[in-house]
Amino acid sequence: MKKIVDICELRQIQMGILDEVHRFCEAHGLRYFLSSGTLIGAVRHKGYIPWDDDIDIYMPRKDYEQFLKMFTDKEGTYRVINPATEPHYYYTFAKVVDQRTRMVEKETEGYEIGVYMDIFPVDFVSDNLQERERIFKQKKLLYKIRRCKISQSNPLQSKLAYLVYKHWPLSVKQIEKRIRRLIVLDHPTSTVCNMTEAGPCIKGCFPAEDLASTVDIEFEGRQYKTMVGYKDYLERTYGDYMTLPPVEQRVTHKFEAYWK
């Protein structure tokens, strides 16, 4: 295998994934939005944040689940990883991977994964703040239990908590069903959030109207989609997102990637 050592080469692979996902969503009428650090990069730098090396998008739950069922790549280059159907998959959100590559990560030890782009579902959440707090506390515990059952090593600071969760009398599938019942509402509300384990804290919830439609936005010289209320979303989630963070916080993820 040939090691990928240049961040620009890694980004080119990720951009290929984003282009394919964009093409597929446009062809099938599915909504997606550049999000998180990718969206900050688009707004502030018209591309990647200079020290960033990944791509994140949001999809409303309905579009997300349709995408997972429908996505195909005739060339066989890309594959979607669905956490609901992949045994021993560590993450609680989907990724689209380039199958010509291999990523080495501590979290995915024992599970082969390629260079990827993250796809997060966005769910409606209760407009009642007390109920919302209850849901966030419960989902945090369920995600901890799931992580301990899947991880090859102790992902918690407490050895006791790890042993308790590791031997909790529920299977991973049963835990995932409980998580889904907790976070996937069957009715719309005025508030939404990324409710996966990688999602923000309760303060990261934002108005559903921010996702009412899509707008075009430039990223690395090309046009993609994001949410119409992206400025409101970014302010709620990150505060003053246009100001560069201190130098010591400009940290690149350490990646280990290869061409097969």
Side-chain angles (χ1 to χ4, degrees):
M1 294 188 296
K2 180 184 176 183
K3 190 170 185 178
I4 299 168
V5 295
D6 186 353
I7 193 173
C8 293
E9 186 176 7
L10 181 76
R11 288 174 173 177
Q12 281 187 330
I13 299 169
Q14 293 169 344
M15 290 297 296
I17 300 172
L18 178 58
D19 283 339
E20 181 61 21
V21 170
H22 169 77
R23 182 201 64 77
F24 187 88
C25 289
E26 289 287 276
H28 293 86
L30 299 177
R31 294 170 295 167
Y32 80 87
F33 317 101
L34 296 191
S35 67
S36 312
T38 305
L39 181 55
I40 291 178
V43 175
R44 197 169 65 199
H45 307 279
K46 296 190 181 299
Y48 282 91
I49 293 174
W51 54 91
D52 202 8
D53 61 359
D54 63 4
I55 293 178
D56 301 319
I57 66 171
Y58 279 179
M59 285 187 180
R61 172 63 68 172
K62 181 179 177 181
D63 300 77
Y64 173 83
E65 297 197 339
Q66 285 184 317
F67 178 84
L68 297 188
K69 291 178 182 178
M70 296 169 57
F71 181 78
T72 55
D73 169 31
K74 293 180 181 178
E75 303 298 323
T77 302
Y78 305 112
R79 179 173 89 88
V80 63
I81 299 179
N82 181 349
T85 59
E86 299 277 339
H88 311 300
Y89 177 62
Y90 185 84
Y91 297 105
T92 55
F93 50 89
K95 295 175 182 284
V96 176
V97 303
D98 187 318
Q99 299 191 97
R100 301 169 299 176
T101 65
R102 181 170 179 262
M103 287 283 287
V104 177
E105 296 182 319
K106 181 180 179 181
E107 291 83 0
T108 56
E109 183 179 353
Y111 183 97
E112 185 168 316
I113 194 168
V115 173
Y116 56 77
M117 182 183 78
D118 292 329
I119 304 180
F120 299 99
V122 179
D123 287 294
F124 290 108
V125 296
S126 174
D127 292 322
N128 181 291
L129 291 179
Q130 288 186 328
E131 174 67 6
R132 195 184 303 172
E133 288 175 359
R134 181 192 70 81
I135 291 170
F136 268 75
K137 288 179 181 178
Q138 193 169 343
K139 83 177 180 74
K140 183 178 181 180
L141 175 61
L142 289 171
Y143 280 137
K144 277 187 179 180
I145 298 171
R146 179 189 181 277
R147 196 187 323 146
C148 288
K149 286 185 169 291
I150 289 178
S151 178
Q152 301 292 324
S153 58
N154 184 358
L156 305 178
Q157 292 183 348
S158 168
K159 290 183 179 179
L160 177 60
Y162 171 71
L163 290 173
V164 169
Y165 295 152
K166 188 77 172 178
H167 299 287
W168 198 274
L170 287 176
S171 69
V172 173
K173 287 295 181 185
Q174 288 173 320
I175 295 168
E176 288 173 344
K177 286 181 180 179
R178 291 193 177 200
I179 293 172
R180 182 177 177 85
R181 286 199 299 267
L182 183 70
I183 68 173
V184 181
L185 298 187
D186 59 2
H187 60 278
T189 65
S190 63
T191 311
V192 294
C193 194
N194 165 13
M195 297 292 281
T196 70
E197 188 172 16
C201 63
I202 196 167
K203 292 181 180 180
C205 297
F206 58 100
E209 63 184 8
D210 286 354
L211 301 179
S213 60
T214 61
V215 293
D216 291 331
I217 194 165
E218 182 180 345
F219 186 79
E220 295 295 323
R222 308 173 210 179
Q223 294 293 312
Y224 298 102
K225 300 294 182 181
T226 194
M227 61 194 80
V228 66
Y230 68 89
K231 291 182 180 179
D232 178 64
Y233 156 74
L234 289 176
E235 286 173 0
R236 290 172 183 271
T237 307
Y238 300 101
D240 182 13
Y241 59 91
M242 292 301 290
T243 299
L244 291 173
V247 174
E248 62 271 17
Q249 294 181 20
R250 303 175 194 179
V251 181
T252 299
H253 302 131
K254 293 181 180 179
F255 67 89
E256 187 177 346
Y258 301 84
W259 289 104
K260 289 183 178 179

